[in-house]
Amino acid sequence: AASAYPRDPTAKMGSEKDPLIPKDVALTDSGRPVVKRSVHWALLSFLILGEIAGQGVFALPLHLGRLGWFAGTLTCFGTLAVNNISLRIMYATHTRFPEAKSQGEAAGILFGPVGQGFIRAVVHLYLFTIQSAYLNSLGRTIMNEFYGTRVCLPLATGIAALIVFPFAQLRSYGDITGISIASFGAVVAVVALIVGKSRAVEPDPLASTSFWPPLGLTDSLTSVGGFFFASGGGQCAFFEYLSEMSRPEDYPKTLWLTTPALFALYYGTAAAMYARFGDKVPGFLLDILPFDASRLVGNTLFFFHIIVSFVILNSALLRAYARYSVTDSSTAARRDWAGLSAAVVLGAYVLTNTVSLFEDLTAAIGSLFVATTVLLIPPAYLYAAHWFGRRADPERGAVSSESPPVKRSPSLKKLGGFIGKFSPMKKGRKETPGGDAGGGGSSGGSTPGESTPRRTGFEVHWSVLWSLRVMLAVAVVAVPVLSWGSLVRLVQDMATLAPPFSCGPCVTKECIENERAESAMAYLGLLERRVRGAALRGP
């Protein structure tokens, strides 16, 4: 595949550590890639929707039921609002460090090698566990397709792994906006199909709804993690997205489109399904579809969406480890990528069959990794940027691999008391030529290939600074608490409902009909006991 970037035989070539930036990209004099900016903000909105909207929505009715109408509604709105604010904070960081093209680069600038290693580990673990959840979804989809014969989850996910492996060999993104639009359209079509067909499905007569959380603390925390899993996204490839925008300053417009669209999709689906099926709504919404052609169509559309999502995130993960460029067509390059893909698919297969319940797996990922990438990392970036030490040169140029390390105050041991003890640094405010006084600003303007105006000064308003401190404090409490709740529920279900490498839920037509018959008999028994009780009490 041809590179989307200009080639210059005399120019330095970029590294292969950044998703969306091929290795054979030409670099500017400052060491930055000369990026071809061609993505409009509206197209980027659908790319973000394709990344965020997906499998998480199919477990939200269950999580809404575990939280009740009041807490569930607040959680749905709150997690989407937090993700919106988190992305705006990431954008504020970008305006101060437009040279950062990945999470790793931003972390390296602000926190040094240790912080860079930590954030890279979090992002890569998040991407890997998401791949496991994708494989779980693909396996469940195959089980739903063969509703006449029971297919156990280990076999179904094994078949899914064999199907997804050839697609995982796609290394270069190219123009993925069209595929992302189609992928998001597939999700909307599946949801519409489920809502429409659910009207013909009789709800469980014993089902009920609740205004307040009907279950215990661990179930509530697990469901909050499930909402985080569904609502969080856009941070892992944030800097790469902006590097390809035709006008990066238009990025905030994407948030005015994506957040309302996600709220309408998420809460509309969860509320409609919970109102009809109550606390008996399945944890995997595709199980509701009747046993006819609609079940095959719905699962096929969902299968397509998950394949696209798997390819996008698999490429983002493996580019950090591949020894060859994604545009290298040699046998050695393909063999290297195939080995890495095999390791990821095999690891995802083991993890998804160890934690086989879809709702538990997604809730744990949401509590641990999504909450970290949404609540902790973005405010940590901007908070550190506020105290960022200037280089010796007051007109700070581009940060490149040849640049000297960032000068930090000796008292800056770790970030802001939330990662360790922090003593405020002197801002060192000076007048920069042609610009405002700032703690490290530059008036040098944009470099070739950059269209984002540089801000002169890294400081944020005091109200924003205190808001960042509050977000960091909340994150330090929320991430471990949510993770504890999700992991407790996960361990309990592994010990009782779904041991590792068990057959998984039975979703055949016979099993579903038997469950409905048993529920109807239990309901008739309940009515009979009520009638007898009323007769004994007399008039």
Side-chain angles (χ1 to χ4, degrees), residues 376 383 414-422 468-474 476:
L376 181 61
Y383 189 83
K414 290 185 180 179
L415 176 65
F418 301 102
I419 304 176
K421 294 183 178 179
F422 173 77
L468 294 174
R469 289 170 176 166
V470 171
M471 287 188 67
L472 288 168
V474 170
V476 167

Side-chain angles (χ1 to χ4, degrees), residues 164 228-229 254 343 354 371 413 457 520:
V164 79
F228 261 112
F229 176 86
T254 66
T354 302
K413 297 180 180 178

